[in-house]
Amino acid sequence: MKGFAATGRHDLLVRPEGNNGYAPPAGRCKRAIGIWGILTVVGGILPSTVAGQSALPPVPVVPSLGEPNDPVLAPFPEQVPLPEPGIPATPTDAAPLPPREPVGLDLRHLVGLFINESLDAGSQAAAVSYNDLYTRLLARGYGDPRPPIEVEYELIQETLKEYGDPVDRFLDPEAFKSLLNRPRPPLQAQVIAPRIVYLAVPDLTPATAQQIRQTLYTQDYSRGIILDLRGSVGYDPQVVADVARLFLPRSIQPLLITEDRFGEPTAWNSENLPIAAGIPLAVLVDGNTRQGATLLAAQLGSSGNTVVLGQPTQGSERQTKFFVLPSGAAVELAVANWKTGDGRSLDQGLVPLQTVEGDETLWLNAGIEALAVPPRRPTLPPRPTVFVQEGRIGRFQLGMDTRNVDTHLLGNVDQISAESRANVFQPNSDLKLFYLQDYILFTYRHPGIIDSFFANRIYTTHPEAMTSEGIRIGSTYTEVTEVYGKPGENGYNEVVPYPQGSREYLRDDRYYVNYDALGLAFAFEVGSNRVTAIGLFKPGN
C-alpha cells in the first residue's frame, strides 16, 4: 500500500504521502472501516494501553486483503494443556519413578568419624578431604551400571585401606545385620570334676561379670575354675576390668590401660568383689580369641594362680568400636590402644604356656590337669623394647626430666655430687642414680640448674628387653660384637659407667661395653659372657 508508511511504534499512523492531499477512494475506505470494526472486537481481549504509550487501541499488522485462509478469521486451534513445572508429562497409567538414592552420605559420615573418633585422627583429618572423595565418587559412578550405593561402598573400603588403621573394616548392611543377629550361646557353667567349675564365655558383655558371680555363688569351686575364652570377643574396657577383678585381688591395679587418640592414658579398675582371687584358674584361648578377650586372658595370666593354654590368639593392640552409617552399613574403627595393667602390648597376640589340640574332651582334660600343676606366666612373642633412634627404652625416654617422676619412691638412690669429681661421663654435674625395678637411671643436674635432673643414660634389666637388631638379655658377647662392632669400631670402649661411691662400682661379676658412636651400652656377666643389662645414652656423653 503505497499510501501508508510504517513507524517504529506498535500502532500504525496513517498519514498522507507528500503534500498533495491524496485520499483513498470511497469504496476502499468503506471496506477498511468494516475490517476495522472486526479487529476492534477481536482486539478487545488485548490490553488497550502499553506503558509509556498513548491510550490508542493496539493495531496489529493487517494482512493483505482478499487473500484466502485469512488468519484473522480462521478458528483458534484447540488448546493443549501444558505440564506442571518440574514434573515430566507421562501417561496417567505409568508407574511412579522410584525415589533417587542419596549419594555421598555414608562417605561424609566416614570422614566425620575419621576426624572425631578414629585413633589416628590427626593425620587422617589432614589427609582426608570429603570434597575430593565426593568428586571421585561422582566420577566413578558416571556410566557405572551398578547402583550408586554399591559404588560408594567400594570407595569407602578403599578409603579405609588408604587412610585407616589396619584393623579398620567395612560391613555392608547385610553383613552388619548378620553380625548383630549371629547365634551366640549364653554363658555356660557346669561342674566337670569335684570342686572344679567350667565357665564358657562367648562374649564379654556388661552382664558377664554378674552372671559369673551368680554362678560361682551356687557352686563349690575350691579346686579351681576353667574359664573358656575360645572364640570370645570384647570391646568395652570396663567390662574386661569387671570380669578380671573377679579373679584378681584388689592389690593388682590397674587391670587395664587405654590410650586415646591424644595419647592420654586411662587406667581401668573395678569395684567388683574378687570372689575367686587365689583360686587356681585355667584359661582356654584359641585363634578366634580377640580384642578384650585376649587382653583379659593376658591380664589373668599375670597372676601366679593362673595358667593360659590352647592356641595363639589374635593380636589385640587396638581397641575398636562399631559405627553405623546412614545407609545401614557399618565401619569398625580403631579408637584407642589398650594394654594389660602392667603395660604389656598384645599387638602380636598371646602365646599360651601350653598348646592344646583335639576334640572338646582333650581341651577339658588339659584344663583339669593344668589346675593341678603350679602355673607359670605365659610368654609373649619377643618384640623390641630398646629403640636407639627414638631414644626410648622400655617405659622411659632418654633425656626426660625426672623431677616430675616419683622414681625415688620405687627403689634406692645414689647421689654423687659434682664436687667429688667422681662422675665418669659428666664430672661437672651432680648425679643421681635411681635403682628401680628393671631399670637403672643415670640422671644429671647440670651447672646452673636448680631442681631438674635429666636421664642421660638408662639401663634396663627386664628379662624381655630386646633391641631392634634382636640383641636381648641373655645374648652373648660374640653376638653383640658381630652386630654392633668389635674393638675399634663404632667407638667401642669398656669404661665402667658407675662412679666411685655408688653401690655398683665394687661389683666384680660385671663388665661393660659402650658404643659411643651409637649411644648403646651393654653389661655382661663375668664367666658366661651374657648380656645382663642393655643401656642407652646420648652419643658423645
Side-chain angles (χ1 to χ4, degrees), residues 280-533:
L281 179 66
V283 181
L284 307 182
V285 297
D286 64 5
N288 293 319
T289 305
R290 61 189 183 94
Q291 291 284 347
T294 297
L295 212 64
L296 174 62
Q299 183 61 42
L300 295 177
S302 65
S303 169
N305 299 310
T306 303
V307 59
V308 179
L309 58 157
Q311 300 289 330
T313 70
Q314 295 185 24
S316 298
E317 185 184 23
R318 299 285 195 263
Q319 178 198 358
T320 64
K321 286 185 179 179
F322 286 93
F323 298 92
V324 182
L325 302 178
S327 69
V331 288
E332 183 181 6
L333 300 181
V335 296
N337 287 318
W338 52 8
K339 306 175 182 178
T340 59
D342 54 1
R344 288 178 292 151
S345 174
L346 298 171
D347 58 328
Q348 298 185 35
L350 179 66
V351 178
L353 181 65
Q354 176 183 339
T355 300
V356 180
E357 296 178 343
D359 58 20
E360 193 70 11
T361 301
L362 291 177
W363 280 80
L364 296 181
N365 288 338
I368 294 174
E369 293 173 1
L371 294 175
V373 178
R376 291 176 293 163
R377 183 173 176 169
T379 59
L380 295 174
R383 56 195 302 268
T385 59
V386 180
F387 302 94
V388 177
Q389 299 297 328
E390 301 175 16
R392 180 164 57 87
I393 181 167
R395 59 190 179 97
F396 292 113
Q397 187 72 36
L398 201 63
M400 70 178 187
D401 185 354
T402 57
R403 176 181 54 178
N404 299 322
V405 180
D406 291 332
T407 51
H408 63 284
L409 300 177
L410 304 178
N412 297 315
V413 179
D414 284 340
Q415 300 193 48
I416 310 295
S417 66
E419 287 78 9
S420 69
R421 309 296 295 177
N423 294 336
V424 177
F425 299 109
Q426 299 184 30
N428 296 324
S429 300
D430 295 329
L431 170 65
K432 276 187 180 181
L433 278 165
F434 293 95
Y435 299 91
L436 314 177
Q437 181 180 1
D438 299 328
Y439 296 93
I440 301 174
L441 278 58
F442 287 65
T443 66
Y444 296 90
R445 179 171 61 187
H446 306 300
I449 303 299
I450 298 177
D451 296 325
S452 297
F453 280 76
F454 298 97
N456 289 347
R457 180 178 287 257
I458 304 174
Y459 284 90
T460 178
T461 59
H462 194 284
E464 296 178 1
M466 185 175 71
T467 68
S468 299
E469 291 74 25
I471 299 299
R472 56 189 305 169
I473 301 298
S475 296
T476 65
Y477 174 89
T478 301
E479 293 170 336
V480 170
T481 55
E482 286 178 352
V483 173
Y484 298 109
K486 297 177 173 59
E489 300 176 343
N490 290 325
Y492 176 103
N493 66 76
E494 298 181 6
V495 175
V496 178
Y498 294 94
Q500 186 175 357
S502 65
R503 68 194 64 206
E504 289 288 316
Y505 176 74
L506 297 177
R507 293 193 65 166
D508 296 327
D509 58 345
R510 298 284 187 273
Y511 66 94
Y512 302 88
V513 170
N514 309 287
Y515 290 95
D516 284 352
L518 304 177
L520 194 59
F522 299 92
F524 294 91
E525 182 182 40
V526 172
S528 68
N529 294 318
R530 293 189 176 276
V531 174
T532 60

Side-chain angles (χ1 to χ4, degrees), residues 6-216:
T7 71
R9 300 177 54 167
H10 291 179
D11 49 357
L12 298 180
L13 301 180
V14 180
R15 57 186 175 85
E17 182 179 0
N19 297 322
N20 56 8
Y22 174 80
R28 185 175 296 179
C29 287
K30 290 180 180 180
R31 186 174 180 181
I33 292 173
I35 295 176
W36 178 271
I38 296 173
L39 294 176
T40 301
V41 174
V42 175
I45 63 174
L46 302 174
S48 60
T49 62
V50 177
Q53 297 182 356
S54 62
L56 295 176
V59 180
V61 178
V62 181
S64 299
L65 300 179
E67 295 179 358
N69 299 326
D70 193 335
V72 176
L73 302 179
F76 289 102
E78 184 178 354
Q79 187 173 5
V80 178
L82 297 177
E84 293 293 331
I87 303 178
T90 57
T92 56
D93 57 347
L97 296 176
R100 183 178 181 182
E101 292 182 343
V103 176
L105 294 183
D106 282 8
L107 202 59
R108 179 187 294 273
H109 199 76
L110 177 65
V111 173
L113 292 174
F114 271 161
I115 297 174
N116 299 314
E117 300 289 346
S118 180
L119 176 63
D120 198 21
S123 61
Q124 290 172 338
V128 179
S129 167
Y130 172 72
N131 290 335
D132 292 344
L133 293 176
Y134 187 68
T135 302
R136 288 169 56 184
L137 176 62
L138 294 181
R140 181 174 301 186
Y142 181 77
D144 194 312
R146 294 176 298 170
I149 195 65
E150 291 186 9
V151 180
E152 186 171 354
Y153 288 166
E154 181 181 74
L155 183 57
I156 287 175
Q157 295 179 69
E158 295 176 3
T159 303
L160 288 175
K161 185 177 181 180
E162 182 176 358
Y163 299 107
D165 191 271
V167 303
D168 293 350
R169 61 172 178 152
F170 169 80
L171 294 90
D172 62 37
E174 288 299 322
F176 185 54
K177 183 178 179 181
S178 298
L179 177 67
L180 295 178
N181 298 329
R182 71 194 189 283
R184 300 295 290 176
L187 184 143
Q188 301 177 35
Q190 58 179 318
V191 177
I192 60 173
R195 293 173 294 166
I196 295 179
V197 174
Y198 168 82
L199 299 171
V201 181
D203 280 326
L204 294 172
T205 70
T208 300
Q210 174 70 11
Q211 293 170 348
I212 293 176
R213 185 167 55 247
Q214 292 298 323
T215 298
L216 295 181

Side-chain angles (χ1 to χ4, degrees), residues 212-214 216-217 221 245-247 272-277 279:
I212 293 176
R213 185 167 55 247
Q214 292 298 323
L216 295 181
Y217 281 160
Y221 52 93
R245 177 59 74 214
L246 299 177
F247 304 96
N272 278 351
L273 182 67
I275 61 174
I279 300 297

